[in-house]
Amino acid sequence: MNKHTTTRKGVILAGGSGTRLYPLTQAVSKQLMPVYDKPMIYYPISTLMLAGIREILIITTPAEQPRFKELLGDGHQWGIHFEYTVQEEPKGLAQAFTIGADFIDGHECAMILGDNLFYGFNFARMLQSADKRKDGATVFCYHVKNPSAYGVVEFDDSGKVITIEEKPENPNSPYAVTGLYFFDKKVAMFARDVAPSARGELEITSVIDCYLQRGELYVEKLSRGTCWLDTGTHNSLLDAASFIQTVEERTGLKIACPEEVAYRMGWVSAEHIMEIAIPLRKSGYGEYLIQVVNEVHPL
Protein backbone atom coordinates (compact mmCIF):
# COMPACT_ATOMS: atom_id res chain seq x y z
CA MET A 1 0.00 0.00 0.00
CA ASN A 2 1.24 3.50 -0.83
CA LYS A 3 1.92 5.15 2.54
CA HIS A 4 0.37 8.47 1.62
CA THR A 5 -0.42 11.06 4.31
CA THR A 6 -2.11 14.39 3.66
CA THR A 7 -2.94 17.61 5.50
CA ARG A 8 -6.46 17.45 4.08
CA LYS A 9 -9.19 17.25 6.74
CA GLY A 10 -11.90 14.60 6.64
CA VAL A 11 -15.59 15.00 7.49
CA ILE A 12 -18.06 12.17 8.03
CA LEU A 13 -21.72 13.16 8.06
CA ALA A 14 -23.37 10.64 10.39
CA GLY A 15 -26.41 12.63 11.46
CA GLY A 16 -29.90 12.42 10.03
CA SER A 17 -32.96 10.70 11.38
CA GLY A 18 -32.69 7.42 9.44
CA THR A 19 -36.44 7.31 8.87
CA ARG A 20 -36.07 4.96 5.88
CA LEU A 21 -34.68 2.32 8.24
CA TYR A 22 -37.42 2.63 10.88
CA PRO A 23 -37.92 0.89 13.31
CA LEU A 24 -34.24 -0.16 13.39
CA THR A 25 -33.16 3.43 13.87
CA GLN A 26 -35.62 4.19 16.65
CA ALA A 27 -33.03 3.13 19.24
CA VAL A 28 -29.68 3.54 17.47
CA SER A 29 -28.08 5.58 14.68
CA LYS A 30 -27.93 3.70 11.39
CA GLN A 31 -24.19 4.45 11.19
CA LEU A 32 -23.70 2.39 14.37
CA MET A 33 -25.59 -0.61 13.05
CA PRO A 34 -23.60 -3.59 11.74
CA VAL A 35 -22.84 -4.16 8.11
CA TYR A 36 -21.97 -7.85 8.35
CA ASP A 37 -19.08 -7.91 10.86
CA LYS A 38 -18.35 -4.23 11.58
CA PRO A 39 -20.23 -1.07 12.55
CA MET A 40 -21.27 0.87 9.47
CA ILE A 41 -19.12 3.87 10.48
CA TYR A 42 -15.95 1.76 10.05
CA TYR A 43 -16.42 1.79 6.29
CA PRO A 44 -16.34 5.58 5.67
CA ILE A 45 -13.57 5.95 8.27
CA SER A 46 -11.47 3.40 6.39
CA THR A 47 -12.13 5.18 3.10
CA LEU A 48 -10.77 8.47 4.45
CA MET A 49 -7.80 6.65 5.99
CA LEU A 50 -7.00 5.07 2.61
CA ALA A 51 -6.87 8.61 1.19
CA GLY A 52 -4.18 9.41 3.75
CA ILE A 53 -6.44 11.52 5.95
CA ARG A 54 -5.65 11.43 9.67
CA GLU A 55 -7.81 14.25 11.09
CA ILE A 56 -11.52 13.45 10.89
CA LEU A 57 -14.62 15.29 12.13
CA ILE A 58 -17.65 13.11 12.82
CA ILE A 59 -20.97 14.95 12.69
CA THR A 60 -23.74 13.20 14.62
CA THR A 61 -27.13 13.90 16.10
CA PRO A 62 -26.99 15.30 19.65
CA ALA A 63 -28.49 12.13 21.15
CA GLU A 64 -26.10 9.74 19.40
CA GLN A 65 -22.79 11.50 19.93
CA PRO A 66 -21.93 9.72 23.23
CA ARG A 67 -22.35 6.33 21.51
CA PHE A 68 -19.97 7.30 18.70
CA LYS A 69 -17.42 8.52 21.24
CA GLU A 70 -17.72 5.29 23.19
CA LEU A 71 -17.14 3.23 20.06
CA LEU A 72 -14.38 5.28 18.44
CA GLY A 73 -12.71 7.37 21.14
CA ASP A 74 -10.19 9.94 19.95
CA GLY A 75 -8.80 7.71 17.19
CA HIS A 76 -5.32 7.17 18.65
CA GLN A 77 -5.78 3.40 18.46
CA TRP A 78 -5.66 3.77 14.66
CA GLY A 79 -3.01 6.47 14.51
CA ILE A 80 -5.57 9.16 13.65
CA HIS A 81 -7.50 11.89 15.45
CA PHE A 82 -11.28 12.25 15.74
CA GLU A 83 -13.23 15.33 16.66
CA TYR A 84 -17.00 15.42 17.11
CA THR A 85 -19.75 17.93 16.61
CA VAL A 86 -23.52 17.78 16.23
CA GLN A 87 -26.08 18.50 13.55
CA GLU A 88 -29.01 19.79 15.55
CA GLU A 89 -31.41 19.38 12.64
CA PRO A 90 -30.75 17.83 9.21
CA LYS A 91 -30.92 20.61 6.63
CA GLY A 92 -28.98 19.09 3.77
CA LEU A 93 -25.54 17.67 3.08
CA ALA A 94 -23.94 21.05 2.37
CA GLN A 95 -24.69 22.03 5.97
CA ALA A 96 -21.73 19.86 7.00
CA PHE A 97 -19.30 22.50 5.77
CA THR A 98 -20.82 25.30 7.81
CA ILE A 99 -21.11 23.06 10.89
CA GLY A 100 -17.51 21.95 10.41
CA ALA A 101 -16.05 25.31 9.33
CA ASP A 102 -13.90 25.72 12.47
CA PHE A 103 -12.54 22.20 12.09
CA ILE A 104 -11.79 22.61 8.38
CA ASP A 105 -10.13 25.96 9.19
CA GLY A 106 -9.05 26.85 5.68
CA HIS A 107 -7.75 23.39 4.74
CA GLU A 108 -8.74 21.26 1.80
CA CYS A 109 -11.24 18.67 2.93
CA ALA A 110 -12.94 15.45 1.92
CA MET A 111 -16.44 14.55 3.01
CA ILE A 112 -18.05 11.13 2.98
CA LEU A 113 -21.55 10.16 4.00
CA GLY A 114 -21.69 7.83 6.97
CA ASP A 115 -23.80 5.23 5.14
CA ASN A 116 -21.66 4.93 1.99
CA LEU A 117 -19.43 1.90 1.39
CA PHE A 118 -16.76 1.59 -1.29
CA TYR A 119 -14.66 -1.36 -2.34
CA GLY A 120 -12.58 -2.07 -5.41
CA PHE A 121 -9.31 -2.61 -7.20
CA ASN A 122 -6.98 0.41 -7.09
CA PHE A 123 -9.54 2.38 -5.07
CA ALA A 124 -6.88 3.62 -2.62
CA ARG A 125 -4.77 4.86 -5.52
CA MET A 126 -7.78 6.73 -6.94
CA LEU A 127 -8.41 8.37 -3.55
CA GLN A 128 -4.80 9.43 -3.16
CA SER A 129 -4.77 10.83 -6.68
CA ALA A 130 -7.84 12.94 -5.87
CA ASP A 131 -6.15 14.17 -2.70
CA LYS A 132 -3.12 15.39 -4.64
CA ARG A 133 -5.38 17.69 -6.68
CA LYS A 134 -5.33 20.78 -4.44
CA ASP A 135 -7.48 23.10 -6.59
CA GLY A 136 -11.13 22.56 -7.41
CA ALA A 137 -13.44 19.70 -6.48
CA THR A 138 -13.32 16.01 -7.27
CA VAL A 139 -16.42 13.84 -7.08
CA PHE A 140 -16.95 10.20 -7.97
CA CYS A 141 -19.81 8.89 -10.08
CA TYR A 142 -21.18 5.41 -10.56
CA HIS A 143 -23.41 3.84 -13.22
CA VAL A 144 -26.74 2.98 -11.54
CA LYS A 145 -30.08 1.54 -12.55
CA ASN A 146 -32.17 4.22 -10.81
CA PRO A 147 -30.34 7.55 -11.22
CA SER A 148 -33.42 9.64 -10.32
CA ALA A 149 -32.81 8.69 -6.67
CA TYR A 150 -29.45 10.49 -6.67
CA GLY A 151 -27.60 13.54 -7.81
CA VAL A 152 -26.93 12.95 -11.50
CA VAL A 153 -23.99 14.15 -13.57
CA GLU A 154 -24.34 14.61 -17.32
CA PHE A 155 -21.43 14.42 -19.78
CA ASP A 156 -21.09 15.71 -23.33
CA ASP A 157 -19.81 13.55 -26.19
CA SER A 158 -16.20 14.34 -25.27
CA GLY A 159 -16.71 13.24 -21.67
CA LYS A 160 -16.79 16.76 -20.24
CA VAL A 161 -19.26 17.42 -17.41
CA ILE A 162 -22.02 19.80 -18.48
CA THR A 163 -24.68 19.54 -15.74
CA ILE A 164 -25.25 18.18 -12.27
CA GLU A 165 -28.79 17.87 -10.96
CA GLU A 166 -30.26 16.62 -7.67
CA LYS A 167 -32.80 13.77 -7.98
CA PRO A 168 -34.11 14.68 -11.46
CA GLU A 169 -37.43 13.20 -12.59
CA ASN A 170 -35.99 12.60 -16.04
CA PRO A 171 -32.26 11.94 -15.66
CA ASN A 172 -29.97 12.90 -18.54
CA SER A 173 -27.44 10.28 -17.52
CA PRO A 174 -27.18 6.94 -15.67
CA TYR A 175 -24.26 8.28 -13.59
CA ALA A 176 -25.02 9.03 -9.95
CA VAL A 177 -22.78 11.16 -7.78
CA THR A 178 -21.62 9.05 -4.85
CA GLY A 179 -21.40 10.25 -1.26
CA LEU A 180 -17.67 10.97 -1.41
CA TYR A 181 -16.34 14.43 -2.24
CA PHE A 182 -12.94 16.15 -2.29
CA PHE A 183 -12.92 19.95 -2.08
CA ASP A 184 -10.34 22.71 -2.02
CA LYS A 185 -10.20 25.57 0.47
CA LYS A 186 -13.15 27.43 -1.11
CA VAL A 187 -15.79 24.89 -0.07
CA ALA A 188 -16.83 26.56 3.22
CA MET A 189 -17.33 29.86 1.38
CA PHE A 190 -19.45 28.24 -1.33
CA ALA A 191 -21.50 26.27 1.23
CA ARG A 192 -22.17 29.41 3.25
CA ASP A 193 -23.70 31.10 0.18
CA VAL A 194 -25.88 28.16 -0.94
CA ALA A 195 -29.62 28.87 -0.88
CA PRO A 196 -32.07 26.15 0.20
CA SER A 197 -33.55 24.11 -2.63
CA ALA A 198 -37.24 23.56 -3.32
CA ARG A 199 -36.98 20.70 -0.81
CA GLY A 200 -35.80 23.19 1.80
CA GLU A 201 -32.34 21.65 2.00
CA LEU A 202 -28.80 22.89 1.41
CA GLU A 203 -27.94 20.56 -1.45
CA ILE A 204 -24.43 19.25 -1.95
CA THR A 205 -25.07 19.43 -5.70
CA SER A 206 -25.39 23.23 -5.34
CA VAL A 207 -21.87 23.36 -3.89
CA ILE A 208 -20.55 21.07 -6.60
CA ASP A 209 -22.22 23.25 -9.23
CA CYS A 210 -20.25 26.25 -7.94
CA TYR A 211 -17.09 24.41 -8.98
CA LEU A 212 -18.64 23.33 -12.29
CA GLN A 213 -19.49 26.93 -13.19
CA ARG A 214 -15.89 27.96 -12.49
CA GLY A 215 -14.51 25.10 -14.60
CA GLU A 216 -12.97 23.54 -11.49
CA LEU A 217 -14.97 20.31 -11.22
CA TYR A 218 -13.32 16.94 -11.82
CA VAL A 219 -15.48 13.83 -12.05
CA GLU A 220 -13.98 10.37 -11.72
CA LYS A 221 -16.04 7.44 -12.97
CA LEU A 222 -15.78 4.41 -10.70
CA SER A 223 -15.05 1.37 -12.84
CA ARG A 224 -16.94 -1.89 -13.00
CA GLY A 225 -14.27 -3.28 -10.72
CA THR A 226 -15.33 -0.92 -7.93
CA CYS A 227 -18.45 -1.31 -5.83
CA TRP A 228 -20.40 1.57 -4.27
CA LEU A 229 -23.11 0.69 -1.77
CA ASP A 230 -25.59 3.12 -0.21
CA THR A 231 -27.08 1.51 2.91
CA GLY A 232 -30.03 3.82 3.44
CA THR A 233 -32.82 1.25 3.08
CA HIS A 234 -33.52 -2.19 4.55
CA ASN A 235 -32.85 -3.91 1.24
CA SER A 236 -29.63 -2.01 0.53
CA LEU A 237 -28.41 -2.66 4.09
CA LEU A 238 -28.98 -6.39 3.60
CA ASP A 239 -27.35 -6.30 0.16
CA ALA A 240 -24.27 -4.57 1.59
CA ALA A 241 -23.93 -7.13 4.38
CA SER A 242 -24.26 -10.00 1.90
CA PHE A 243 -21.65 -8.43 -0.38
CA ILE A 244 -19.14 -7.93 2.46
CA GLN A 245 -19.75 -11.48 3.69
CA THR A 246 -19.22 -12.98 0.23
CA VAL A 247 -15.98 -11.10 -0.47
CA GLU A 248 -14.51 -11.70 2.99
CA GLU A 249 -15.32 -15.40 3.07
CA ARG A 250 -14.04 -15.90 -0.47
CA THR A 251 -10.76 -14.00 -0.04
CA GLY A 252 -10.04 -14.37 3.67
CA LEU A 253 -9.42 -10.59 3.74
CA LYS A 254 -11.46 -8.04 5.63
CA ILE A 255 -12.99 -4.97 4.03
CA ALA A 256 -12.69 -1.71 6.00
CA CYS A 257 -10.57 -2.91 8.90
CA PRO A 258 -9.19 0.36 10.35
CA GLU A 259 -6.46 -1.41 12.32
CA GLU A 260 -5.15 -3.02 9.14
CA VAL A 261 -5.30 0.23 7.17
CA ALA A 262 -3.45 2.09 9.95
CA TYR A 263 -0.77 -0.60 10.08
CA ARG A 264 -0.26 -0.80 6.33
CA MET A 265 -0.11 3.02 6.11
CA GLY A 266 2.68 2.99 8.69
CA TRP A 267 0.71 4.95 11.29
CA VAL A 268 0.88 2.30 14.02
CA SER A 269 3.43 -0.38 14.86
CA ALA A 270 3.14 -4.15 14.71
CA GLU A 271 3.43 -4.22 18.49
CA HIS A 272 0.46 -1.87 18.77
CA ILE A 273 -1.70 -4.07 16.53
CA MET A 274 -0.75 -7.14 18.54
CA GLU A 275 -1.78 -5.38 21.76
CA ILE A 276 -5.22 -4.89 20.21
CA ALA A 277 -5.40 -8.35 18.68
CA ILE A 278 -4.31 -10.68 21.48
CA PRO A 279 -7.24 -9.93 23.84
CA LEU A 280 -9.54 -10.54 20.85
CA ARG A 281 -7.92 -13.83 19.93
CA LYS A 282 -11.11 -15.82 20.47
CA SER A 283 -12.84 -13.74 17.80
CA GLY A 284 -12.19 -13.90 14.10
CA TYR A 285 -11.29 -10.22 14.19
CA GLY A 286 -8.37 -10.73 16.59
CA GLU A 287 -7.07 -13.70 14.63
CA TYR A 288 -7.24 -11.67 11.43
CA LEU A 289 -5.15 -8.84 12.91
CA ILE A 290 -2.52 -11.32 14.06
CA GLN A 291 -2.47 -12.78 10.55
CA VAL A 292 -2.00 -9.29 9.05
CA VAL A 293 1.00 -8.57 11.26
CA ASN A 294 2.57 -11.98 10.64
CA GLU A 295 2.16 -11.68 6.89
CA VAL A 296 3.47 -8.13 6.56
CA HIS A 297 6.17 -8.21 9.21
CA PRO A 298 6.64 -11.56 10.98
CA LEU A 299 7.37 -11.17 14.70
Side-chain angles (χ1 to χ4, degrees):
M1 181 179 292
N2 183 6
K3 296 180 179 180
H4 172 83
T5 299
T6 179
T7 58
R8 187 182 298 269
K9 301 287 189 79
V11 176
I12 300 177
L13 186 55
S17 55
T19 52
R20 290 186 297 168
L21 286 172
Y22 182 87
L24 295 176
T25 49
Q26 189 171 16
V28 64
S29 166
K30 68 178 177 180
Q31 290 88 2
L32 294 174
M33 293 192 300
V35 178
Y36 184 48
D37 58 350
K38 299 169 221 73
M40 187 185 297
I41 192 72
Y42 273 38
Y43 296 86
I45 289 172
S46 296
T47 295
L48 294 181
M49 291 173 69
L50 287 171
I53 294 171
R54 300 183 70 174
E55 293 186 65
I56 299 173
L57 176 69
I58 300 178
I59 301 176
T60 73
T61 64
E64 297 290 343
Q65 189 178 99
R67 296 186 180 95
F68 281 92
K69 288 183 175 180
E70 182 180 3
L71 173 68
L72 303 172
D74 64 5
H76 78 277
Q77 71 277 16
W78 300 331
I80 60 179
H81 176 70
F82 290 129
E83 292 187 23
Y84 300 86
T85 192
V86 299
Q87 184 183 38
E88 297 286 350
E89 183 182 354
K91 294 182 178 179
L93 304 186
Q95 187 186 23
F97 301 109
T98 54
I99 293 173
D102 290 343
F103 170 80
I104 296 169
D105 191 29
H107 287 76
E108 299 92 6
C109 73
M111 184 176 80
I112 185 169
L113 305 186
D115 62 356
N116 273 221
L117 283 64
F118 296 86
Y119 174 75
F121 177 70
N122 274 342
F123 183 56
R125 189 175 302 172
M126 182 177 287
L127 293 172
Q128 292 168 18
S129 177
D131 172 67
K132 291 175 182 176
R133 187 179 289 134
K134 300 303 181 183
D135 296 317
T138 301
V139 300
F140 300 86
C141 67
Y142 195 73
H143 194 289
V144 296
K145 185 170 66 173
N146 57 332
S148 60
Y150 304 96
V152 173
V153 61
E154 180 186 5
F155 301 90
D156 65 15
D157 292 339
S158 68
K160 181 181 178 181
V161 180
I162 52 177
T163 67
I164 182 165
E165 188 177 2
E166 183 66 25
K167 296 181 174 63
E169 290 186 13
N170 300 297
N172 294 317
S173 160
Y175 285 98
V177 178
T178 72
L180 174 62
Y181 322 89
F182 284 70
F183 293 107
D184 66 12
K185 299 175 181 180
K186 299 189 292 292
V187 65
M189 176 185 68
F190 289 157
R192 187 176 60 243
D193 295 337
V194 163
S197 66
R199 301 193 305 157
E201 294 193 2
L202 302 174
E203 307 286 2
I204 191 68
T205 46
S206 298
V207 175
I208 297 169
D209 191 59
C210 291
Y211 286 95
L212 175 60
Q213 299 308 317
R214 296 169 66 101
E216 297 178 349
L217 176 64
Y218 304 89
V219 179
E220 302 284 353
K221 290 181 180 178
L222 297 178
S223 69
R224 291 190 179 193
T226 303
C227 185
W228 168 52
L229 299 166
D230 172 2
T231 56
T233 67
H234 295 103
N235 285 343
S236 60
L237 183 62
L238 180 61
D239 289 344
S242 298
F243 175 81
I244 300 297
Q245 180 189 28
T246 300
V247 173
E248 291 191 354
E249 290 191 351
R250 180 74 174 178
T251 64
L253 302 172
K254 287 198 176 295
I255 297 173
C257 174
E259 292 89 351
E260 179 181 8
V261 177
Y263 179 56
R264 294 186 185 275
M265 296 292 274
W267 298 344
V268 297
S269 67
E271 292 76 14
H272 179 79
I273 296 299
M274 293 299 283
E275 286 177 7
I276 295 173
I278 289 173
L280 303 175
R281 195 148 202 168
K282 291 183 179 179
S283 76
Y285 202 83
E287 283 297 330
Y288 179 75
L289 294 179
I290 293 170
Q291 173 189 320
V292 166
V293 171
N294 289 335
E295 285 183 355
V296 177
H297 180 69
L299 293 176

